[in-house]
Amino acid sequence: MGSYVPHTDAEIGQMLSFLGMGSTEELFSMVPDAVRLARPLRLPAGQSEPDVRHDMEGLSRADLASRGLVCFAGAGAYDHEIAAVTPALSGRSEFLTAYTPYQAEVSQGVLQALFEFQTMVARLSGMEVANASLYDGASATVEAANLACAVTGRQGLWVSDGVHPHWRAVLGTMAQGPGRAIGRAPLRGGVTDWAGLGGAGSAGAPAALIVAYPNFLGCLDDLGSARKLADDLGALLVVVFDPVAAAITTSPGEAGADVAVAEGQGISARLSYGGPYLGLFATKMAHVRRSPGRIVGETLDVSGTTSYVTTLRAREQDIRRERASSNVCTNQTLLAVAAAVQLSWLGPGGLRQMALASARGARYARESLLRIDGVTSPVSAPVLKEAPFRLPAEPEVVIERLLEDGYLAGVAVREGFEGEEAEGCLLVAVTEKRTRDEIDGFVAAFEKALR
Amino acid sequence: MSSGAEPATGGGAVPGGRPPGAGSAPGGLASSSPLLGRAAEPTIFEMSVPGRSAWSLRTTGLPEWELEELVPLEHRRRSATGLPEVSERDLVAHFTRLSQRQYSVDTGAYPLGSCTMKYNPKLFDHLAALPGFADAHPASPTAALQGFLALLVRLEEMLCEITGMAAATLQPPAGAAGELTGLLMMRAWHGRDAGDGRGRVRRRVLIPDSAHGTNPASVSLAGYEATTVASDSRGLLDVASLREHLDDDVAGIMLTNPNTLGLFEEDIVEIASAVHDAGALLYYDGANLNPVLGVARPGDMGFDIVHLNLHKTFATPHGGGGPGAGPVAVTAELAPYLPAPRPVRTGEGGRYGYGFAGSEASIGRAHSWHGNALVLQRALAYIMFNGGDGLRRVAEAAVLNASWLSRRLRASYDIPYGRPSMHEFVASAASLKRSCGLSATDVAKALLERGFHAPTVHFPLIVDEALMIEPTETESPQTLDALARAFEDVAREALSDGAASARSAPRSTPVGRVDETRAARRLVLTVDQRPGTTSGAPGGRAAGGG
């Protein structure tokens, strides 16, 4: 069968004889017999390229996404437009198959693209500086918490229930190591109620308040009171933002955030079953030396030409080792390059239109859904492209029925998406890709499903 | 420069932007750089012209509600977003030119030690773009995702067979994330039952001095103290000195096998039993799994927790620094601690063949969704293409190539640890530095001048002027010979000119040696931080602070 190993048998023989060996088995003489695998791996036999393609296409056809479901699901993963130029440029071999830009002289392409990406993320978030990416929104939130703990010397975190439940779960997992205590602030009417704080971390002043805007239920939370409370407590304010919504809503910087983090999927990647996505991380210059991951800086080469290089390297794990505040090495550079292309294609006008058109579609869908008998809203706060609905039926049943009509109706707020206030609701998202006809068809199917 | 500008403008008048000629509007810097040589490429912000655009979005037919009707005043953005305003043609030209200023595996040999920069087959790029995968929403009901779940379960089973482990999580999005996930499982296991029902979290984790930097960093983040264990004169971990470090406060040891010198830890069986006797666990850093595929398995060596770097061993492209994927495989005893939810085959009688399962002892979620799914999908395709025999052939060719190159370069460079190495070896420029002033960095830059990517330099830390070389199995003997000639030429030239030429290399690359000190001392991390830039970044309060 096929192989990506280029050597002919004759070449292998010549190389072995150069090494004074008679067989490839001798290459492994250092491996003790006790741990040598005495049998072949129990894997299916190798397949040709067309056979692998045939099997993979078969698996892909088992997923309904291959049949073009009209997507009304969001919950942190949005069906926004990705321009044709975005994969075409970020997918170029030179970006796709490079390693981390350790050798700056032959890595100016990736480095400059990252410098431009950092500028775009800093401007969009209204912060002073951004890093060159983290894994996803959840990991960016964890790193923001780590930074806040390092800055304040405190171990507690107060986290709004409006932060994505999966991200809060990841935060909880990663808190087990350093033994961080997390206080949980519920939502009331779609807005964080800091006075209702509960949980182990609610005692004592926290390192940071973490609030999402828009939050998991799609609501525009009250950043002003979060900033004031953080000031009173001497804590940092971490704002989780949406890079599309930020075109028209208060930026984290305008709200006085100390750290801004986001899931950047909507400006870089198709839905991709949840990964690879893109963690955005931006902060103030005062915190740059405690920031995680790679940061690209502009400098000069020996002849005075503008050049780019990874900088503040002494923060990073390969130099600081056990004293590093982050272990991030591989990140999501390719997605950062894609975001730089996509944001350049959109420009200020396109991003604004994307945010506006999403909000228009969401409002139209919301008004239509709320006209259906028994469908109500559990929130009163302003919403943008996403909102929860309480239905006169189980949301899972509605989702399953609408699948048959070709719609992915939304995400059930349940089982891993717990949030007391909207428990059992259906979270519906509308992006600029949804037309009036699609929404009308969706609402009609919805009504039928509830009958 | 107008911080109070209308949100719809803002990209054009970027501070630092150079007009193409006197009297022109700011921005709009046209560029058609020479293909090679030293011309700088302007940033996309300098190409921006107010009012120019590339975007178009769907015609929706929806009511055209205005911003004022959609977003209450107190929630409206007050500042411009400052994104560039360019035509699609200029955008394509810019990023295409940037790509031409970038070396990659597809360009040529990339012998970067410990990074396993093998060829990334195009088939897998094609498969990752199939709509059933690329357009699958991660919160879709399991009924809609049977194909993806089947794929994940199949990959988990194959990775377990390859590593000799019982179960795995596919959630960690990179190797370092896998390390932290594995260490948190170690912590949970000690805290809960430690195999004998008497749980107590231990404080320390042992790490050899040759380890990757992520190891000690992950150890700290997992709430442990890292204790460094010195390698012996063989470049290996010595069982006797290991025993001196082992006590009832040691939770585990992290090993890379073969280690970063490319040497197989020959005493691994004795090491494993000593560690287990002390009630501790063995963690396998899978960065160097490539040369033991089908040859030896971490599980058979006695490891309890294994992470894999799919972007190394399983040929998924590294993307200029990511994305990767760092699945973690464990023994049956540790399986209950794996992150949840896990894709599983569902039992008889279920409506669907695949679903998700959790576990009460799970350490919890390690990723927003299910891991870097499209990276996982590519790795599965790679395993399907190769099969068991093909993977073994990969290991053989990887070791053959590295061994051949090591033997060939022995005449020109020091090879400090003389034992037979596996997929990579560490040479040293220490003698050359003494004799003619040629440093490891000079060797790296002189190789760039000769059209090859450099090896990893100054790592591992235990070798002076280290050159860590990993050719991988996908380079042909002809490419290896050319690479060897380049290495030899660098050494020969340095001996004849006192390393003058190497010290001024590279000269033919898009830029010459870059001033890293200047970059760190005069931080310019965005266009708005360029010297002479006013604080009026379009991002609003940015430069003024919060």
Side-chain angles (χ1 to χ4, degrees), chain A residues 42 93 123 128 173 322 360, chain B residues 65 82 106 161 220 320 365 542:
Chain A
R42 294 194 181 104
S93 275
R123 288 181 174 188
E128 289 172 314
T173 302
E322 66 269 21
R360 285 174 185 149
Chain B
W65 287 300
D106 283 3
E161 166 63 11
S220 295
R365 267 191 179 276

Side-chain angles (χ1 to χ4, degrees), chain A residues 2 4 6-7 11 15 18-19 25 28 30 32 35 37 39 42 44 46-47 59-60 63-65 74-75 77 85 92-101 103 105-110 112 115-116 118-119 123-124 126-129 135-136 138 166-167 173 176-178 213 221 246 248-251 254 270-276 285 297-302 308-309 311 317 321-322 327 330-334 344-348 350 360-361 363-364 400 433 435-436 438, chain B residues 14 41-44 54-56 58 60-62 65 69 75 77-79 81-85 88 94 98-99 101-106 110 112 115 117 120-121 132 134-137 144-148 161 173 176 187 211 213-214 218 220-223 266 291 295-297 317-323 351 356 363-365 367-370 372-374 384-385 387 392-393 401 404 445 473-475 478 512-515 518 520 524-530 539 541-543:
Chain A
Y4 302 115
H7 306 60
E11 286 171 338
M15 292 174 78
F18 176 73
L19 294 169
E25 200 60 34
F28 301 101
M30 70 292 278
V35 300
L37 187 63
R39 58 166 176 84
R42 294 194 181 104
Q47 292 176 287
L59 280 177
S60 84
D63 286 342
L64 288 175
V85 290
R92 283 183 61 92
S93 275
E94 299 87 340
F95 293 128
L96 184 67
T97 71
Y99 200 73
T100 303
Q103 296 291 336
E105 297 83 0
V106 292
S107 305
Q108 289 298 298
V110 165
Q112 185 171 337
F115 179 76
E116 295 176 5
Q118 288 173 187
T119 302
R123 288 181 174 188
L124 193 53
M127 306 300 289
E128 289 172 314
V129 60
Y135 309 133
D136 59 3
H166 291 175
W167 304 11
T173 302
Q176 293 165 30
Y213 182 86
D221 213 306
I248 56 174
T249 55
T250 308
S251 74
E254 288 173 337
R270 290 159 77 182
L271 289 164
S272 314
Y273 196 46
M285 279 304 282
E298 190 174 76
T299 184
L300 300 174
D301 77 347
V302 282
Y308 301 90
V309 68
T311 192
Q317 44 75 29
R321 299 179 78 84
E322 66 269 21
N327 67 341
T330 287
N331 48 49
Q332 308 282 122
T333 298
L334 191 69
S344 300
W345 181 79
L346 286 167
R360 285 174 185 149
R363 174 168 169 177
Y364 181 78
E400 191 139 338
K433 283 170 80 172
T435 64
R436 182 177 191 145
E438 286 174 340
Chain B
V14 168
E41 171 71 12
T43 65
I44 190 92
W55 65 273
S56 60
R58 280 197 88 176
T60 60
L62 286 161
W65 287 300
E69 300 168 83
H75 287 290
R77 186 179 178 107
R78 300 188 297 278
S79 55
T81 53
L83 296 177
E85 297 176 84
E88 185 165 312
H94 174 65
L98 286 185
S99 75
R101 297 162 72 79
Q102 179 68 43
Y103 195 89
S104 65
V105 169
D106 283 3
Y110 216 123
L112 199 61
C115 302
M117 293 300 281
N120 312 129
D135 293 331
H137 192 285
L145 282 170
Q146 290 298 298
F148 227 126
E161 166 63 11
R187 192 180 174 88
T214 49
S218 299
S220 295
L221 288 169
E266 296 175 19
V295 174
R297 309 190 303 171
H318 205 280
R351 271 183 78 190
F356 286 102
I363 61 163
R365 267 191 179 276
H367 187 263
S368 298
W369 297 106
H370 316 289
N372 278 343
L374 294 185
M384 287 165 65
F385 179 87
R392 163 94 191 191
R393 186 175 165 87
N401 274 0
W404 185 93
K445 303 304 182 190
E473 74 279 3
T474 53
E475 297 309 332
Q478 292 73 24
R513 279 203 205 189
V514 169
D515 190 344
R518 179 189 171 97
V524 180
L525 309 178
T526 71
V527 163
D528 302 311
Q529 292 179 350
R530 283 176 166 172
R541 295 174 63 173

